[in-house]
Amino acid sequence: MVHLWVRSESRANEQRVGITPEGVHRLIARGFRVTVEESPHRILPIAGYAEAGAEIAPEGGWPAAPPEAVVFGLKELPQDETPLRHRHIMFGHAFKGQPAGQALLRRFRAGGGSLYDLEYLTDDSGRRLAAFGYWAGYAGAAVSLKAWAAQRRGGLCGPVQAWHNRELLLEELRAELDATGAARPRAIVVGALGRVGSGASDLLAAMGAPVTRWDMAETAGGGPFPEILAHELFVNCILAGPDSPVLVPPDAVDPARLLTVIGDVACDPTSAFNPVRVYERVTDWAHPAIRVAGRPPLDVMAIDNLPSLLPRESTLDYAGQLLPVLEALDRIDEGPWDRARQLFARHLAALA
């Protein structure tokens, strides 16, 4: 019997969850055992999971879960040196040389556990089977516009917090932009044909910002691209990899540009593949943007948990995509689960 243990999220401002009560009900009907930890922050109340038949465990109880349990979360675990003995499903961010990812792999090596990274659950063609991308793009473009509006007021983008729903986000953002008295900025979205880029493009269009949409055809030359600097706002939506072009080089901070805001939704500044080379650290909800140049200003928004700003929409969308994959956990040695395990094994073997 598969025992899926849904852990609480320990990261601040994280209200999302990867499965709904309806999903739990479906898994239990298939013969799964499901445990859900209590959480004071989760967007979906624990009562719904109990009614669906889940066993309820205390918040943070997963280290004591039975050895055969598969521990399922979204964002990173608390960073310590505790060996990891379970099989874990989560976004590990461990396969691109990130320092924190290397530390995570060492914990798995010490404990004998395994990582099934949600980013690498793919079909036979390599396409991801579930992704938060659309809402990452949507929220990322929204915060980028907030950074632009803050510049018009002579400052830097202030703290953000989760919106209860998309309609409230649109209402608040439209009023903030209108208050500047300025025309909407000309924006360019790179990676516009993917999930992330679609979300960013849709938000910008809803706000009346003119949008240039680029994808693989426009970036095939390898970059850098002066056309990006000719826009006021740039939203990066391409997933960094060995073949990623450099979209914004370090010298883009020079004054000869119209660009004043970069929304790096892909947000991988510590990777050697980072295509946006003007900043070195992620931002957060308390400080959404960092200023990397002045006169004219250039601000970078690089929040790495953007879908959490719309936790209800992103949870329902993602959980619906992922549920068919979770239903195949009773065949964890096959298909996408086995591909994810093999990828983990290769990176673990290469670990120094």
Side-chain angles (χ1 to χ4, degrees):
M1 175 193 296
V2 176
H3 183 183
L4 184 68
W5 187 289
V6 182
R7 61 175 170 85
S8 58
E9 298 291 335
S10 58
R11 178 168 177 160
N13 300 317
E14 186 55 78
Q15 301 179 55
R16 295 173 298 165
V17 61
I19 189 169
T20 65
E22 293 76 14
V24 166
H25 178 77
R26 279 177 52 172
L27 292 185
I28 292 173
R30 290 178 60 90
F32 288 30
R33 178 184 176 188
V34 181
T35 299
V36 180
E37 292 184 2
E38 295 175 325
S39 169
H41 312 296
R42 189 182 293 128
I43 192 66
L44 302 181
I46 194 68
Y49 294 96
E51 291 171 5
E55 303 170 37
I56 306 304
E59 179 182 9
W62 61 266
E68 72 278 4
V70 181
V71 180
F72 175 31
L74 295 177
K75 297 302 289 185
E76 62 268 28
L77 299 170
Q79 293 186 11
D80 56 36
E81 297 182 358
T82 306
L84 297 172
R85 62 190 180 94
H86 292 95
R87 293 171 293 179
H88 281 259
I89 302 170
M90 63 178 174
F91 288 102
H93 304 294
F95 300 153
K96 297 178 185 176
Q98 303 98 320
Q102 297 297 290
L104 178 66
L105 289 175
R106 284 191 286 271
R107 292 174 67 188
F108 277 112
R109 183 172 64 185
S114 301
L115 170 63
Y116 294 81
D117 197 305
L118 288 163
E119 185 176 338
Y120 299 96
L121 291 175
T122 61
D123 62 18
D124 292 338
S125 67
R127 179 176 174 80
R128 287 175 64 176
L129 294 168
F132 281 104
Y134 182 87
W135 296 106
Y138 201 92
V143 181
S144 299
L145 281 175
K146 287 177 70 67
W148 177 85
Q151 285 182 350
R152 305 283 79 72
R153 299 191 300 268
L156 196 63
C157 185
V160 294
Q161 59 185 3
W163 289 277
H164 186 70
N165 58 49
R166 169 172 47 181
E167 289 70 27
L168 290 176
L169 181 160
L170 294 173
E171 179 182 347
E172 175 188 310
L173 183 58
R174 186 174 290 110
E176 189 170 349
L177 294 173
D178 289 347
T180 68
R184 301 296 199 252
R186 289 183 61 242
I188 181 169
V189 175
V190 179
L193 297 182
R195 292 185 180 102
V196 180
S198 295
S201 298
D202 285 353
L203 182 283
L204 292 165
M207 288 296 103
V211 184
T212 300
R213 294 172 170 86
W214 275 18
D215 208 83
M216 294 179 65
E218 292 80 6
T219 59
F225 301 97
E227 297 92 336
I228 292 175
L229 306 185
H231 292 75
E232 295 169 81
L233 189 152
F234 161 48
V235 184
N236 174 42
C237 299
I238 67 168
L239 186 64
D243 299 323
S244 299
V246 175
L247 301 174
V248 179
D251 62 8
V253 298
D254 293 343
R257 54 176 164 79
L258 291 177
L259 185 67
T260 64
V261 173
I262 297 172
D264 191 4
V265 179
C267 189
D268 210 357
T270 63
S271 169
F273 310 136
N274 178 25
V276 180
R277 301 288 179 86
V278 295
Y279 79 110
E280 297 179 346
R281 63 175 178 85
V282 300
T283 61
D284 56 35
W285 293 26
H287 304 94
I290 53 175
R291 182 150 294 173
V292 297
R295 298 187 180 182
L298 180 59
D299 297 339
V300 178
M301 186 291 304
I303 295 172
D304 65 355
N305 63 332
L306 284 164
S308 302
L309 289 165
L310 285 167
R312 184 172 300 277
E313 284 90 346
S314 59
T315 284
L316 296 179
D317 183 16
Y318 184 79
Q321 297 174 54
L322 187 64
L323 182 56
V325 192
L326 291 174
E327 289 179 313
L329 268 173
D330 55 358
R331 303 185 302 278
I332 198 168
D333 294 328
E334 303 175 10
W337 295 109
D338 188 53
R339 284 190 287 271
R341 181 196 60 78
Q342 290 185 46
L343 180 64
F344 163 73
R346 289 198 296 272
H347 283 273
L348 195 67
L351 186 65

